[in-house]
Structure formats: structure tokens, C-alpha cells
Amino acid sequence: MDQLGAIAALGALAQETRLALFRLLVARGPEGLPAGMIADELEVAPSSLSFHLQQLVHAGLIAQRRLGRQLIYSAEYRTMSELLAYLTENCCGRGEVRVPFCDPAETLTEEEKNHGCC
Amino acid sequence: MDQLGAIAALGALAQETRLALFRLLVARGPEGLPAGMIADELEVAPSSLSFHLQQLVHAGLIAQRRLGRQLIYSAEYRTMSELLAYLTENCCGRGEVRVPFCDPAETLTEEEKNHGCC
DNA sequence: AGTTAATTTCGATATTCGTTGAAATGTCGA
DNA sequence: TCGACATTTCAACGAATATCGAAATTAACT
């Protein structure tokens, strides 16, 4: 991820509704949620939600797929990982940090598991 | 760090000049840089720089101290660590991630070392 | 005290952001 | 194909953001 991508992702997350929305999708997992359910959960007007969904899609933080007449949104864990990698590499001191991965499917290696970390 | 703090920090970093500014201070280390030098480096008008510095100070990402007639700004590594911790804990999949620390001076506590974390 | 240097604060302006309601799009089932 | 459902797009508006130049603050030097 380059600086422009990082700014886009940071800006997309720097808003109350969108951060809550992204957290909801992260918690939901790869299965995702249809827009209507998200609107109910977050108690935000459909057109307003649609606006925020576009922002997150544009930043690459969520993905959209159609299922019948509803649109399902799900977290793009990979992008979040890349954002964290960018921040740890560019905005942290002295490079003495580890880069976390976010994709639940992207399971830890055996070595990492044995490391017993966090 | 709570949700409000995270949004403030994310918003502060989600801007070209400010992200460059923060990266500059992170690279500079705890010593920091006076406003004038930052303005020269980033090629931004003094009054405009001052605006961005305030945003970062308000978000707790940088600190200000006076040295004679100049104001020195330096990165607050602790806040950045907390932001990364928030993102890994709340915006990553399944909680199977490790939290990095950012402060070059901030060595792990004995408890954390024994925990074998990061 | 008066002068200069470093920086911020203020006022004005153009741009972007977030919200809302109404209209449009796409999809399913009868 | 018609009607209902899920969602987006559009147009409009107020609020927040980013920028600049000019004036004000703070501190050092003489």
C-alpha cells in the first residue's frame, strides 16, 4: 500500500458511522451482511448508508456482491492488513515492530502459534 | 483508546500534509523538530502548517514544547501504539493478531516480556 | 524600551463531507 | 408484465476542512 492508499483507508475509517460499519462487517466475517440489515443495525437512513458504503468500497476496505435482490457487503481483511503494515512501517519508531495480519482465513503459521503471542 | 480517540487519530492522519508531517516527526525521533524547519521541509505556508500541527496535537499524535523562541514538535509514539492496538483488536479478524509497539524508547515491561508478546 | 525572529491566531474563501427526501435502478414472484 | 422489495443515485443544503495573507503573540538580543 502506498501513501495515497493509506490516506484513502484512513479517511474512510475516520468517521463514526463508517468505523462502526466496518467493525460490524469485520465481526461478521467473510459471509458479510446485506445493506438493509446494516442500516437496521446502525440505525442510519438507507441513502446515507449507501454513501458510506461507497466510501469504504472505494478505499478497498469492503467488498460488494449481489445475492438476489440484495447487496451483500463484507470486510476486505487484506486491505486492513496492508494499512496496518503501512502504519507500522512508516509511522512507528525504529522499525522494531511486527506486522499483524487481519484475515481470519489467513491463519497463523505453526511457528506463530507456538510463539504464543497475544 | 476508545472509539472517539481512534476516529480523531485516524482523521488526523488522513490528510496528505499531515501524514507526511507525522512521518517526518516519527523518523526524526523523540528529539523532534521546530515548526519552521517542518515548514521548510514540507514546503507549506507557516499558517497552514500551524493549522495541521494543531490537528495532530489535538489528536494526541504529536507533542509540543518550547525551546527559546521556537516551538518543537515531536511524535507521540504511545498514541500511535494505542491506535494500532485499537485497529488490531477491533478491526481485524478473529482477534488472532499481535499488537505492535511504536515507541523506540518504549521497551516492553517485564510482564510483557514474560508474556512473550510481540 | 525597541527591534527582530519564530510562530500562532484571525478573517475570508473555496472545497469537501454528511444528511435528507424524492426519483431511478435492478430483481424476484405472481 | 406487473407490482413489491432492496438499494442506489440525484439534487440540495448546512457543516466541517484546507488554504492564504495580514495582524497579533511570545521570546531573545541590543
Side-chain angles (χ1 to χ4, degrees), chain A residues 51-102:
Chain A
F51 168 76
H52 292 300
L53 286 168
Q54 292 322 307
Q55 305 270 322
L56 286 166
V57 167
H58 189 256
L61 282 164
I62 66 176
Q64 179 195 62
R65 70 179 191 273
R66 184 173 279 280
L67 188 70
R69 68 179 87 180
Q70 52 196 1
L71 290 172
I72 313 281
Y73 290 90
S74 55
E76 285 277 21
Y77 299 93
R78 183 66 54 94
T79 303
M80 192 65 201
S81 294
E82 289 173 6
L83 174 60
L84 287 168
Y86 180 91
L87 292 177
T88 50
E89 286 166 18
N90 294 281
C91 300
C92 269
R94 303 295 184 271
E96 299 291 353
V97 292
R98 302 267 180 87
V99 180
F101 288 93
C102 296

Coordinates of all heavy atoms in Angstrom, one line a residue, chain A residues 51-102:
Chain A
F51 N -24.1 5.9 0.9 CA -23.0 6.9 0.7 C -21.7 6.3 1.4 O -20.6 6.3 0.9 CB -23.4 8.2 1.3 CG -22.2 9.2 1.4 CD1 -21.7 9.8 0.3 CD2 -21.7 9.5 2.7 CE1 -20.6 10.7 0.5 CE2 -20.7 10.3 2.8 CZ -20.1 11.0 1.7
H52 N -21.9 5.9 2.7 CA -20.8 5.4 3.5 C -20.2 4.1 2.9 O -19.0 3.9 2.9 CB -21.2 5.3 4.9 CG -21.4 6.6 5.6 ND1 -20.5 7.6 5.7 CD2 -22.6 7.1 6.2 CE1 -21.0 8.6 6.3 NE2 -22.2 8.4 6.6
L53 N -21.1 3.3 2.5 CA -20.7 2.0 1.9 C -19.8 2.3 0.7 O -18.7 1.6 0.5 CB -21.9 1.2 1.5 CG -22.6 0.5 2.6 CD1 -24.0 -0.1 2.1 CD2 -21.8 -0.6 3.2
Q54 N -20.2 3.3 -0.2 CA -19.3 3.6 -1.3 C -18.0 4.1 -0.9 O -17.0 3.7 -1.5 CB -20.0 4.7 -2.2 CG -21.3 4.2 -2.9 CD -21.2 2.8 -3.4 OE1 -20.3 2.4 -4.1 NE2 -22.2 1.9 -3.0
Q55 N -17.9 4.9 0.1 CA -16.6 5.4 0.6 C -15.7 4.2 1.0 O -14.5 4.2 0.6 CB -16.8 6.3 1.8 CG -17.8 7.4 1.6 CD -17.1 8.7 1.1 OE1 -16.0 9.0 1.5 NE2 -17.7 9.4 0.2
L56 N -16.2 3.2 1.7 CA -15.4 2.1 2.1 C -15.1 1.2 1.0 O -13.9 0.7 0.9 CB -16.2 1.3 3.2 CG -16.3 2.0 4.6 CD1 -17.3 1.3 5.5 CD2 -14.9 2.0 5.3
V57 N -16.0 1.0 0.0 CA -15.7 0.2 -1.2 C -14.5 0.9 -1.9 O -13.6 0.3 -2.4 CB -16.9 0.1 -2.1 CG1 -16.5 -0.5 -3.4 CG2 -17.9 -0.9 -1.4
H58 N -14.7 2.2 -2.1 CA -13.7 3.0 -2.9 C -12.3 2.9 -2.3 O -11.3 2.9 -2.9 CB -14.1 4.4 -3.0 CG -13.3 5.2 -4.0 ND1 -12.4 6.1 -3.5 CD2 -13.2 5.3 -5.3 CE1 -11.8 6.7 -4.6 NE2 -12.3 6.2 -5.7
A59 N -12.3 2.8 -0.9 CA -11.0 2.7 -0.2 C -10.5 1.3 -0.2 O -9.4 1.0 0.3 CB -11.1 3.2 1.2
G60 N -11.3 0.4 -0.7 CA -10.9 -1.0 -0.8 C -11.0 -1.8 0.5 O -10.5 -2.9 0.7
L61 N -11.7 -1.2 1.5 CA -11.9 -1.8 2.8 C -13.0 -2.8 2.9 O -13.0 -3.7 3.8 CB -12.0 -0.7 3.9 CG -10.7 0.0 4.3 CD1 -11.0 1.3 5.0 CD2 -9.8 -1.0 5.1
I62 N -14.0 -2.7 2.0 CA -15.1 -3.7 2.0 C -15.3 -4.1 0.5 O -15.0 -3.4 -0.4 CB -16.4 -3.2 2.6 CG1 -16.9 -2.0 1.8 CG2 -16.1 -2.7 4.1 CD1 -18.3 -1.5 2.4
A63 N -16.0 -5.2 0.3 CA -16.3 -5.7 -1.0 C -17.8 -5.8 -1.1 O -18.5 -6.0 -0.1 CB -15.7 -7.1 -1.2
Q64 N -18.3 -5.8 -2.3 CA -19.8 -5.8 -2.6 C -20.1 -7.0 -3.5 O -19.3 -7.2 -4.5 CB -20.2 -4.5 -3.3 CG -21.6 -4.4 -3.7 CD -21.9 -3.3 -4.7 OE1 -21.4 -3.3 -5.8 NE2 -22.7 -2.3 -4.3
R65 N -21.1 -7.8 -3.2 CA -21.6 -8.8 -4.1 C -23.1 -8.9 -4.0 O -23.7 -8.6 -3.0 CB -20.9 -10.2 -3.8 CG -21.4 -10.8 -2.5 CD -20.7 -12.2 -2.3 NE -21.4 -12.9 -1.2 CZ -21.1 -12.8 0.1 NH1 -20.1 -12.0 0.5 NH2 -21.7 -13.5 1.0
R66 N -23.6 -9.3 -5.2 CA -25.1 -9.3 -5.2 C -25.6 -10.7 -4.9 O -25.1 -11.7 -5.4 CB -25.6 -8.9 -6.6 CG -27.1 -8.8 -6.6 CD -27.6 -8.2 -8.0 NE -27.5 -6.8 -8.0 CZ -28.5 -6.0 -7.4 NH1 -29.5 -6.5 -6.8 NH2 -28.4 -4.7 -7.5
L67 N -26.7 -10.8 -4.1 CA -27.3 -12.1 -3.8 C -28.8 -11.9 -4.0 O -29.4 -11.3 -3.1 CB -27.0 -12.5 -2.4 CG -27.4 -14.0 -2.1 CD1 -26.6 -15.0 -2.8 CD2 -27.3 -14.2 -0.6
G68 N -29.3 -12.3 -5.1 CA -30.7 -12.0 -5.4 C -30.9 -10.5 -5.5 O -30.2 -9.8 -6.1
R69 N -31.9 -10.0 -4.8 CA -32.2 -8.6 -4.9 C -31.5 -7.8 -3.8 O -31.6 -6.6 -3.7 CB -33.7 -8.3 -4.8 CG -34.3 -8.6 -3.5 CD -35.8 -8.2 -3.6 NE -36.6 -9.4 -4.1 CZ -37.9 -9.3 -4.2 NH1 -38.6 -8.2 -4.0 NH2 -38.6 -10.4 -4.6
Q70 N -30.6 -8.4 -3.0 CA -29.9 -7.7 -2.0 C -28.4 -7.7 -2.3 O -27.9 -8.6 -2.9 CB -30.2 -8.1 -0.6 CG -30.0 -9.6 -0.4 CD -30.7 -10.0 0.9 OE1 -31.3 -9.2 1.6 NE2 -30.6 -11.3 1.3
L71 N -27.8 -6.6 -1.8 CA -26.3 -6.4 -2.0 C -25.6 -6.7 -0.7 O -25.9 -6.1 0.3 CB -26.0 -5.0 -2.5 CG -26.4 -4.7 -3.9 CD1 -26.2 -3.2 -4.2 CD2 -25.6 -5.5 -4.9
I72 N -24.7 -7.7 -0.7 CA -24.0 -8.1 0.5 C -22.7 -7.4 0.5 O -21.9 -7.4 -0.4 CB -23.8 -9.6 0.4 CG1 -25.0 -10.4 0.0 CG2 -23.2 -10.1 1.8 CD1 -26.0 -10.5 1.1
Y73 N -22.4 -6.9 1.7 CA -21.1 -6.2 1.9 C -20.3 -7.0 2.9 O -20.8 -7.5 3.9 CB -21.3 -4.8 2.4 CG -21.8 -3.9 1.3 CD1 -23.2 -3.7 1.1 CD2 -20.9 -3.2 0.4 CE1 -23.7 -2.9 0.1 CE2 -21.4 -2.4 -0.6 CZ -22.8 -2.3 -0.7 OH -23.3 -1.5 -1.7
S74 N -19.0 -7.1 2.7 CA -18.1 -7.9 3.6 C -16.7 -7.2 3.7 O -16.3 -6.5 2.8 CB -17.9 -9.3 3.1 OG -17.4 -9.3 1.8
A75 N -16.1 -7.4 4.8 CA -14.8 -6.8 5.1 C -13.7 -7.3 4.2 O -13.7 -8.5 3.9 CB -14.4 -6.9 6.5
E76 N -12.8 -6.5 3.7 CA -11.6 -6.9 2.9 C -10.5 -6.9 3.9 O -9.7 -5.9 4.0 CB -11.4 -5.9 1.8 CG -12.3 -6.0 0.6 CD -11.9 -7.1 -0.4 OE1 -11.1 -8.0 0.1 OE2 -12.3 -7.1 -1.5
Y77 N -10.3 -8.0 4.5 CA -9.2 -8.1 5.6 C -7.8 -7.8 5.0 O -7.0 -7.2 5.7 CB -9.2 -9.5 6.2 CG -10.6 -9.8 6.9 CD1 -11.6 -10.5 6.2 CD2 -10.8 -9.4 8.2 CE1 -12.8 -10.8 6.8 CE2 -12.0 -9.7 8.8 CZ -13.0 -10.4 8.1 OH -14.2 -10.7 8.7
R78 N -7.6 -8.2 3.8 CA -6.3 -7.9 3.2 C -5.9 -6.4 3.2 O -4.8 -6.1 3.6 CB -6.3 -8.5 1.8 CG -5.0 -8.4 1.0 CD -3.9 -9.3 1.7 NE -4.4 -10.6 1.7 CZ -4.2 -11.6 0.8 NH1 -3.5 -11.3 -0.2 NH2 -4.6 -12.8 1.0
T79 N -6.9 -5.6 2.8 CA -6.6 -4.2 2.8 C -6.3 -3.6 4.2 O -5.4 -2.8 4.4 CB -7.8 -3.4 2.2 OG1 -8.1 -3.9 0.9 CG2 -7.5 -1.9 2.1
M80 N -7.0 -4.1 5.2 CA -6.8 -3.7 6.6 C -5.4 -4.1 7.0 O -4.7 -3.4 7.6 CB -7.8 -4.3 7.5 CG -7.8 -3.7 8.9 SD -8.3 -2.0 8.9 CE -7.6 -1.4 10.4
S81 N -5.0 -5.3 6.6 CA -3.6 -5.8 6.9 C -2.6 -4.9 6.3 O -1.6 -4.5 6.9 CB -3.4 -7.2 6.4 OG -4.2 -8.1 7.1
E82 N -2.9 -4.5 5.1 CA -1.9 -3.6 4.4 C -1.8 -2.3 5.0 O -0.7 -1.7 5.1 CB -2.3 -3.5 2.9 CG -2.1 -4.8 2.1 CD -2.6 -4.7 0.7 OE1 -3.0 -3.6 0.3 OE2 -2.6 -5.7 0.0
L83 N -3.0 -1.8 5.5 CA -3.0 -0.5 6.2 C -2.1 -0.6 7.4 O -1.3 0.3 7.7 CB -4.4 0.0 6.5 CG -4.5 1.2 7.4 CD1 -3.8 2.4 6.6 CD2 -5.9 1.5 7.7
L84 N -2.3 -1.6 8.2 CA -1.6 -1.8 9.4 C -0.1 -1.9 9.1 O 0.8 -1.4 9.8 CB -2.1 -3.0 10.2 CG -3.4 -2.7 10.9 CD1 -4.0 -4.0 11.4 CD2 -3.3 -1.7 12.0
A85 N 0.2 -2.6 8.0 CA 1.6 -2.8 7.7 C 2.2 -1.4 7.3 O 3.3 -1.1 7.7 CB 1.7 -3.7 6.5
Y86 N 1.5 -0.6 6.6 CA 1.9 0.7 6.2 C 2.2 1.5 7.5 O 3.3 2.2 7.6 CB 0.9 1.4 5.3 CG 1.4 2.8 4.9 CD1 2.1 3.0 3.8 CD2 1.1 3.9 5.7 CE1 2.5 4.3 3.4 CE2 1.5 5.2 5.4 CZ 2.2 5.4 4.2 OH 2.7 6.6 3.9
L87 N 1.3 1.5 8.4 CA 1.4 2.3 9.6 C 2.6 1.9 10.4 O 3.3 2.7 11.0 CB 0.1 2.3 10.4 CG -1.1 3.0 9.8 CD1 -2.3 2.8 10.6 CD2 -0.8 4.5 9.5
T88 N 2.7 0.6 10.6 CA 3.8 0.1 11.4 C 5.2 0.4 10.8 O 6.2 0.7 11.4 CB 3.7 -1.4 11.7 OG1 3.5 -2.1 10.5 CG2 2.6 -1.7 12.6
E89 N 5.2 0.3 9.4 CA 6.5 0.5 8.8 C 6.9 2.0 8.6 O 8.0 2.4 8.7 CB 6.4 -0.1 7.4 CG 6.5 -1.6 7.4 CD 6.1 -2.2 6.0 OE1 6.1 -1.5 5.0 OE2 5.8 -3.4 6.0
N90 N 5.8 2.9 8.5 CA 6.1 4.3 8.2 C 5.8 5.2 9.3 O 6.3 6.3 9.3 CB 5.3 4.7 7.0 CG 5.7 4.0 5.7 OD1 6.7 4.4 5.1 ND2 5.0 3.0 5.3
C91 N 5.0 4.8 10.3 CA 4.6 5.7 11.3 C 5.0 5.3 12.7 O 4.5 5.8 13.7 CB 3.1 6.0 11.2 SG 2.6 6.7 9.7
C92 N 5.8 4.3 12.8 CA 6.2 3.7 14.1 C 7.7 3.9 14.2 O 8.5 4.1 13.2 CB 5.9 2.2 14.2 SG 4.3 1.9 14.9
G93 N 8.2 3.9 15.5 CA 9.6 4.2 15.7 C 10.5 3.0 15.4 O 10.2 1.9 15.7
R94 N 11.6 3.4 14.7 CA 12.8 2.5 14.6 C 12.5 1.1 14.0 O 13.4 0.2 14.1 CB 13.4 2.3 16.0 CG 13.8 3.5 16.7 CD 14.9 4.2 15.9 NE 15.4 5.4 16.6 CZ 14.9 6.6 16.4 NH1 13.9 6.8 15.5 NH2 15.3 7.6 17.1
G95 N 11.3 0.9 13.5 CA 11.1 -0.4 12.8 C 11.1 -1.6 13.6 O 11.1 -2.7 13.1
E96 N 11.1 -1.5 15.0 CA 11.2 -2.6 15.8 C 9.8 -3.2 16.1 O 9.4 -3.4 17.3 CB 11.8 -2.3 17.2 CG 13.2 -1.8 17.0 CD 14.2 -2.9 16.6 OE1 13.7 -4.1 16.5 OE2 15.3 -2.6 16.3
V97 N 9.0 -3.3 15.1 CA 7.6 -3.8 15.3 C 7.3 -5.0 14.4 O 7.9 -5.2 13.4 CB 6.6 -2.6 15.0 CG1 6.8 -1.5 16.0 CG2 6.8 -2.1 13.6
R98 N 6.2 -5.6 14.8 CA 5.7 -6.8 14.0 C 4.5 -6.3 13.2 O 3.7 -5.5 13.7 CB 5.3 -7.9 14.9 CG 6.4 -8.4 15.7 CD 7.1 -9.6 15.1 NE 8.2 -10.0 16.0 CZ 8.0 -10.9 16.9 NH1 6.8 -11.5 17.1 NH2 9.0 -11.3 17.7
V99 N 4.3 -6.9 12.1 CA 3.1 -6.5 11.3 C 2.0 -7.6 11.5 O 2.2 -8.8 11.2 CB 3.5 -6.5 9.8 CG1 2.3 -6.1 9.0 CG2 4.6 -5.4 9.6
P100 N 0.9 -7.2 11.9 CA -0.2 -8.1 12.1 C -1.0 -8.4 10.9 O -1.0 -7.6 9.9 CB -1.1 -7.4 13.1 CG -0.9 -6.0 12.9 CD 0.5 -5.8 12.3
F101 N -1.6 -9.6 10.8 CA -2.5 -9.9 9.7 C -3.9 -10.0 10.2 O -4.1 -10.4 11.3 CB -2.0 -11.2 9.0 CG -0.8 -11.0 8.3 CD1 0.5 -11.3 8.9 CD2 -0.8 -10.5 7.0 CE1 1.6 -11.1 8.2 CE2 0.4 -10.3 6.3 CZ 1.6 -10.7 6.9
C102 N -4.8 -9.7 9.3 CA -6.2 -9.5 9.7 C -7.2 -10.5 9.2 O -8.2 -10.7 9.8 CB -6.7 -8.1 9.3 SG -5.8 -6.8 10.1

